Amino acid sequence: MQQTVHHLISLDVRGVVTWIRLYPFRTWLAFALAVVVSLVVGIIHWHDGTPARQARVQPEPPFTVSADTVTGEVTEDGLILNHPGDASLSVPAGALPVGTVVAVSKGKAATLRRLGALQPDGVSWDVAAAVEPLSLPVTLVLPYDPRLVPTGTRPLVAAYDELSGWWLPVPTSAVPETGKLIAELPGFSLTTWILDRVTGPGKRAQGAQSWLDYQGLALLHRQPGHPQCTGRNVPSWVKQVTVNSGTGVLACVRGDGAGFAIEAASTLGYPVTLDPDAPFAHASYSTLDDTMDDLMSTLPGGVLLLPSGKSVIAYDPPPAPVGTVHARVRHDGDTLVRWLVFVAVNGVPAARTTFGPAAVECGKRALAGPTAVPQRVAALLECLATALAGQLRVAGFDVAANLWRSVGVARLPAPVHQTVGALRWVRGVQAGNFAQLAGDLTAGIGHPASRYTVLARWAEAPRWARPAGVQPLFGLVGISSVPVPSGQRMSAKLAGRSYPDSTGVWVACTEPPVTLAYQLAGKYRRLTAIAGLADHAPADLAIRFQLTADGRVLGTHVVDRRTTALINVDLSNVKTLVISAVRTAGACPPASLPFGVLGEASLFP
């Protein structure tokens, strides 16, 4: 019947053309008849069902069908797709449009090389669909061998994110009895399973690397730095330099401008913090640009040593004319907080000026927040996620609808696609339960090293700068045992050198000495000063300074007009500090100003 109708229509069209030739003045009527014929043909095709089939034509699927691929089509009830490799995918109703083609493929991906020891069996699974994003998460069940999971670790399903370049864990439940991992996928991509950490032989947490550390090293192309101090000798006023090996950090001390600097590089496979106990002028990182350098230097808590490059801790100028710096290695919750901020900001180079300060503020809040490592890291991650989502909303990006959409990098401006990648990374870190893992990892390595990595001791630096937060001794109220002008600010010359911000100490000509007491209440950890005699003191006078902390003698120093003494004492947890000066030799005439001087006496918090 259909062929007969087409034949009649064909004859009718030839008749219309002949009629137009005979009656050209009626061309307009021919046009109208042609429109009617087109409508008839369209109705016949509609009746045949062709347009309905065209409406269901899918975009070209983003996957290649091979012998290891199974496909299925989403129905109103969803889809359950079983792979002969013992994997299955469950798409709930409403997660994808009806008719969407979904594929699951088994294979080995080149990107698994980045995971190394984190991925025990080298198998990847590619989950793809013709339409994204998902409206609801889908469930993926993967086979795994529980025997490949070392004691103390657990398996996680991870999905590859093309924007951030990371393998990001997703919520995972392990069933060792059946050898299955059950995971929730927020989007479709390449997936595999990994270990939450890699541990060394016979080690529990000491020396362990989390999946985050391990993968980060691969992404950052780990290249340990080598401190180079040869040919840049330290100044003559740096009296001692000691470097201890075996702390996991290489270090050396060199000259730097009018001061000195410590160069340090980690030999460990994870980030650590190097804690100097004296304030430094500036820290720089060889692997970072100036923007990142400035951002990292605003985070409190020492100098972060990345597993690549080296760091320079500059004492140009030093914080006081005299002092000692011990630098110790630390890997704890604070180190992880600083590391997470670094990785998050480093993932958004095009938006550092906007997201960077917000991320640093998140780090400061976390460092000032709960002391428990899991809670501290969790608070940081949620703060970073909120900051990143805010940046995307300002850019007009719909976070709720499009975060896990498979979008090409070229379709988004650089700051936007980098921020999307960073937010995916943060959500992956959260899904991988890194907060709890951080607590486990730091349980065995969270304490400062018993030995310092490097020590530098200096005296009579020609140029110094009292750092913010460092308190001059004369700024505190001291209680004198007798009514004399002791503990006040004075400018003095000691052994021919000027010390403009000094503290005067009254000298007793006979025992008992005049004492000067300070209530510190445990707020300070160190006192540095140059002890000497003012140039208005008698030329033959010699005195003995004594410092006592909570009844315990910290040090005794004898000085005269020609000699000075270095004071550098530990005041950790000290409540009361008592300073006294008494004559040991020479004349002691009456005077209106103290003879004893603590040059540039400074209290470090």
Side-chain angles (χ1 to χ4, degrees):
M1 177 64 182
Q2 181 176 310
Q3 291 178 353
T4 303
V5 172
H6 280 293
H7 180 66
L8 292 175
I9 291 174
S10 177
L11 291 175
D12 190 42
V13 170
R14 285 197 296 270
V16 170
V17 173
T18 303
W19 183 69
I20 291 173
R21 290 176 179 172
L22 294 174
Y23 305 100
F25 60 95
R26 296 184 180 178
T27 302
W28 62 271
L29 187 57
F31 176 77
L33 288 173
V35 172
V36 172
V37 171
S38 298
L39 289 174
V40 172
V41 173
I43 292 171
I44 291 172
H45 280 290
W46 173 84
H47 179 74
D48 186 42
T50 303
R53 284 198 300 269
Q54 290 177 346
R56 295 180 58 188
V57 173
Q58 297 291 337
E60 195 66 29
F63 48 78
T64 302
V65 177
S66 66
D68 288 321
T69 302
V70 294
T71 62
E73 191 171 298
V74 176
T75 68
E76 292 182 354
D77 297 325
L79 172 66
I80 296 179
L81 196 56
N82 295 312
H83 192 282
D86 212 18
S88 65
L89 179 73
S90 298
V91 181
L96 288 171
V98 173
T100 301
V101 178
V102 181
V104 175
S105 303
K106 180 182 179 181
K108 294 184 177 181
T111 48
L112 289 181
R113 289 197 303 268
R114 181 176 299 154
L115 295 175
L118 287 174
Q119 213 299 318
D121 62 13
V123 177
S124 66
W125 298 84
D126 198 1
V127 186
V131 175
E132 286 197 79
L134 291 166
S135 301
L136 297 170
V138 299
T139 301
L140 178 66
V141 179
L142 295 182
Y144 83 109
D145 187 348
R147 294 172 299 181
L148 298 177
V149 181
T151 303
T153 65
R154 66 188 182 96
L156 293 169
V157 172
Y160 183 72
D161 176 44
E162 74 279 4
L163 287 186
S164 66
W166 289 76
W167 285 91
L168 302 177
V170 297
T172 306
S173 298
V175 187
E177 297 78 11
T178 60
K180 294 294 177 64
L181 299 173
I182 305 171
E184 286 189 2
L185 300 182
F188 288 154
S189 65
L190 201 63
T191 60
T192 191
W193 69 278
I194 64 174
L195 301 172
D196 66 342
R197 75 189 78 176
V198 176
T199 57
K203 299 177 182 178
R204 177 177 171 269
Q206 179 71 34
Q209 281 181 263
S210 72
W211 63 266
L212 181 64
D213 288 332
Y214 190 99
Q215 189 177 188
L217 301 183
L219 285 169
L220 296 173
H221 307 293
R222 180 174 183 260
Q223 294 178 346
H226 298 281
Q228 297 290 337
C229 298
T230 304
R232 303 184 65 180
N233 295 333
V234 297
S236 59
W237 45 268
V238 177
K239 304 299 183 182
Q240 179 186 356
V241 173
T242 305
V243 177
N244 288 323
S245 59
T247 61
V249 169
L250 301 175
C252 63
V253 178
R254 60 169 173 79
D256 186 64
F260 66 93
I262 299 171
E263 286 194 12
S266 174
T267 61
L268 303 172
Y270 49 86
V272 297
T273 295
L274 191 63
D275 274 328
D277 61 1
F280 50 87
H282 180 67
S284 59
Y285 306 83
S286 65
T287 55
L288 307 182
D289 58 31
D290 291 340
T291 302
M292 181 66 85
D293 223 14
D294 292 340
L295 286 172
M296 293 307 298
S297 64
T298 61
L299 279 174
V303 178
L304 185 66
L305 296 186
L306 303 174
S308 58
K310 63 182 178 181
S311 298
V312 176
I313 308 169
Y315 286 88
D316 177 27
V322 57
T324 302
V325 55
H326 299 80
R328 287 180 168 83
V329 177
R330 172 169 54 87
H331 182 196
D332 58 2
D334 289 0
T335 300
L336 288 177
V337 166
R338 292 154 53 78
W339 162 243
L340 288 170
V341 171
F342 162 74
V343 178
V345 178
N346 199 49
V348 198
R352 282 180 191 167
T353 55
T354 53
F355 171 62
V360 169
E361 284 304 311
C362 287
K364 289 180 178 178
R365 285 185 215 165
L367 294 172
T371 55
V373 173
Q375 286 79 5
R376 179 168 287 192
V377 172
L380 170 69
L381 291 172
E382 191 54 42
C383 183
L384 289 173
T386 301
L388 286 163
Q391 292 290 325
L392 289 172
R393 292 190 186 97
V394 170
F397 184 86
D398 189 337
V399 177
N402 295 323
L403 179 60
W404 299 104
R405 181 185 292 274
S406 180
V407 292
V409 171
R411 299 182 186 178
L412 294 172
V416 177
H417 79 69
Q418 290 172 5
T419 308
V420 169
L423 181 53
R424 287 180 176 180
W425 175 84
V426 171
R427 290 304 188 197
V429 174
Q430 289 176 308
N433 199 24
F434 183 74
Q436 185 59 51
L437 175 61
D440 295 342
L441 288 173
T442 57
I445 52 178
H447 304 290
S450 57
R451 290 192 302 162
Y452 56 80
T453 293
V454 62
L455 173 149
R457 188 189 308 276
W458 71 94
E460 299 187 1
R463 177 171 166 261
W464 61 88
R466 183 179 287 119
V470 175
Q471 173 71 46
L473 184 61
F474 62 74
L476 297 184
V477 176
I479 301 175
S480 177
S481 60
V482 296
V484 292
S486 191
Q488 299 176 3
R489 180 179 183 177
M490 64 183 299
S491 178
K493 276 190 175 183
L494 307 178
R497 300 196 60 169
S498 296
Y499 296 87
D501 287 334
S502 300
T503 301
V505 179
W506 196 264
V507 176
C509 294
T510 58
E511 297 283 359
V514 176
T515 60
L516 185 61
Y518 293 93
Q519 299 303 316
L520 303 183
K523 295 180 180 179
Y524 302 95
R525 60 179 176 83
R526 186 160 297 279
L527 168 68
T528 65
I530 297 292
L533 280 177
D535 55 1
H536 61 266
D540 61 347
L541 180 64
I543 65 172
R544 182 183 70 247
F545 278 102
Q546 182 170 291
L547 284 77
T548 304
D550 296 335
R552 173 174 53 91
V553 176
L554 296 178
T556 300
H557 308 276
V558 176
V559 298
D560 55 30
R561 285 275 302 272
R562 296 171 299 279
T563 61
T564 58
L566 167 64
I567 293 178
N568 187 358
V569 293
D570 186 358
L571 297 179
S572 300
N573 302 315
V574 171
K575 296 180 174 58
T576 303
L577 173 67
V578 177
I579 300 172
S580 65
V582 64
R583 179 186 64 170
T584 59
C588 188
S592 58
L593 294 175
F595 293 148
V597 177
L598 294 177
E600 296 293 324
S602 301
L603 293 162
F604 292 81

